[in-house]
Amino acid sequence: MITVRKLEYTSDTKKVLHDVNLRIETGETVSIMGVSGSGKTTLLKIIAGLVCPDSGQVFIAKDDIASMSEDDVNKVRRKLGVVFQYGALFDSLTVYDNVAFALKRYADLSKTEIDDIVEEKLTLVGLPGTQKMMPSQLSGGMQKRVGMARAIAMNPDVLLYDEPTSGLDPVMTGIIDDLMDEMHHKLGVTSVIVSHALPSIFRISDRIAMLHDGSIMAFGTPDEIKGSDDPIVRQFIRGESKGPIQPGHIA
């Protein structure tokens, strides 16, 4: 479903991503982990078509979005749902209008059909009957779940998550983990998750990629990553202060 080949990206004068290669199979849940500033969110934005790489290829199914025009990339984006960090809801819109945002613009549907889809997606994330509420009336966990409902409104093939449990307490983190896993199985989507939350990563991922110094230096199942003898991987998953990862690697 997603293939990244020889990806390069520089921001200002800093090399953010270098020779990134990644293949994610249809229906997989793949998490991308690494220290702050390692390029995780940038990689996710490139996969989403929100940032254009300097060179390389990024295939969504058979479409290389890195070589497409903006109009063609916009068409491919409709196959993707993005759950942004902290929800990123439109503050001036109700929950209904947030979830219906793409449906109103890109889907040829009646109001009744949109109403039904919004109710269905909100029910799926455990928030039925919240359509008239404003984002300011929602807790952080509720905002995350509305963001997830918005991301699945167009029935995407791929769901991209940027730090989906950031800022949440352990109980709500578990709820969001369960919800991501449930949506993965119910909707049959391919999921890509950028996260620092190691318990969540090891719990819900089919495979895990570790990004370090702008390159993927480990990729495997949770058991393979846990059993890695690479000192960088070991230090990161153990949270040790001493090792090859030094403050200069951390933004």
Side-chain angles (χ1 to χ4, degrees), residues 201-242:
I201 287 173
F202 286 123
R203 179 184 176 195
I204 67 176
S205 304
D206 295 310
R207 290 193 290 169
I208 300 167
M210 180 160 181
L211 198 60
H212 184 70
D213 280 345
S215 298
I216 291 175
M217 46 85 58
F219 189 37
T221 66
D223 285 342
E224 289 170 341
I225 295 297
K226 287 179 182 177
S228 174
D229 59 4
D230 187 290
I232 293 174
V233 176
R234 289 206 311 267
Q235 182 187 356
F236 183 78
I237 65 177
R238 294 174 183 176
E240 297 172 340
S241 60
K242 294 182 179 179

Side-chain angles (χ1 to χ4, degrees), residues 73-146:
V73 171
N74 282 333
K75 294 175 184 176
V76 177
R77 282 198 196 113
R78 296 177 195 178
K79 302 176 184 178
L80 312 176
V82 182
V83 180
F84 297 96
Q85 191 174 6
Y86 304 119
L89 302 180
F90 298 109
D91 292 339
S92 62
L93 301 181
T94 63
V95 166
Y96 174 93
D97 287 325
N98 268 281
V99 178
F101 191 82
L103 295 170
K104 291 179 178 179
R105 283 155 179 77
Y106 303 118
D108 185 17
L109 299 171
S110 67
K111 185 179 184 306
T112 298
E113 290 172 319
I114 293 176
D115 290 349
D116 290 343
I117 292 171
V118 171
E119 176 66 20
E120 174 194 351
K121 304 309 182 187
L122 286 172
T123 299
L124 183 58
V125 301
L127 293 174
T130 57
Q131 289 92 324
K132 294 182 180 180
M133 296 181 70
M134 301 298 293
S136 60
Q137 298 174 288
L138 307 176
S139 67
M142 292 172 74
Q143 289 186 26
K144 294 262 189 176
R145 286 185 282 164
V146 172

Side-chain angles (χ1 to χ4, degrees), residues 26-213:
T26 300
E28 268 195 312
T29 295
V30 170
S31 291
I32 302 171
M33 66 181 191
V35 299
S36 298
S38 58
K40 303 183 303 297
T41 295
T42 299
L43 177 57
L44 195 76
K45 289 179 178 179
I46 290 173
I47 293 172
L50 300 175
V51 172
C52 185
D54 299 332
S55 62
Q57 296 176 301
V58 181
F59 287 93
I60 306 298
K62 296 181 179 180
D63 297 311
D64 180 10
I65 61 173
S67 63
M68 286 182 168
S69 68
E70 183 68 17
D71 287 343
D72 288 337
V73 171
N74 282 333
K75 294 175 184 176
V76 177
R77 282 198 196 113
R78 296 177 195 178
K79 302 176 184 178
L80 312 176
V82 182
V83 180
F84 297 96
Q85 191 174 6
Y86 304 119
L89 302 180
F90 298 109
D91 292 339
S92 62
L93 301 181
T94 63
V95 166
Y96 174 93
D97 287 325
N98 268 281
V99 178
F101 191 82
L103 295 170
K104 291 179 178 179
R105 283 155 179 77
Y106 303 118
D108 185 17
L109 299 171
S110 67
K111 185 179 184 306
T112 298
E113 290 172 319
I114 293 176
D115 290 349
D116 290 343
I117 292 171
V118 171
E119 176 66 20
E120 174 194 351
K121 304 309 182 187
L122 286 172
T123 299
L124 183 58
V125 301
L127 293 174
T130 57
Q131 289 92 324
K132 294 182 180 180
M133 296 181 70
M134 301 298 293
S136 60
Q137 298 174 288
L138 307 176
S139 67
M142 292 172 74
Q143 289 186 26
K144 294 262 189 176
R145 286 185 282 164
V146 172
M148 294 168 81
R150 180 178 61 187
I152 62 174
M154 295 281 287
N155 294 323
D157 297 325
V158 177
L159 277 175
L160 307 174
Y161 299 89
D162 185 17
E163 299 286 358
T165 59
S166 178
L168 300 180
D169 63 61
V171 173
M172 184 53 66
T173 293
I175 290 171
I176 295 296
D177 287 348
D178 288 344
L179 187 54
M180 287 191 291
D181 197 44
E182 181 182 358
M183 289 200 297
H184 170 72
H185 289 98
K186 280 189 176 181
L187 304 177
V189 294
T190 302
S191 302
V192 184
I193 303 164
V194 161
S195 180
H196 289 105
L198 295 182
S200 299
I201 287 173
F202 286 123
R203 179 184 176 195
I204 67 176
S205 304
D206 295 310
R207 290 193 290 169
I208 300 167
M210 180 160 181
L211 198 60
H212 184 70
D213 280 345

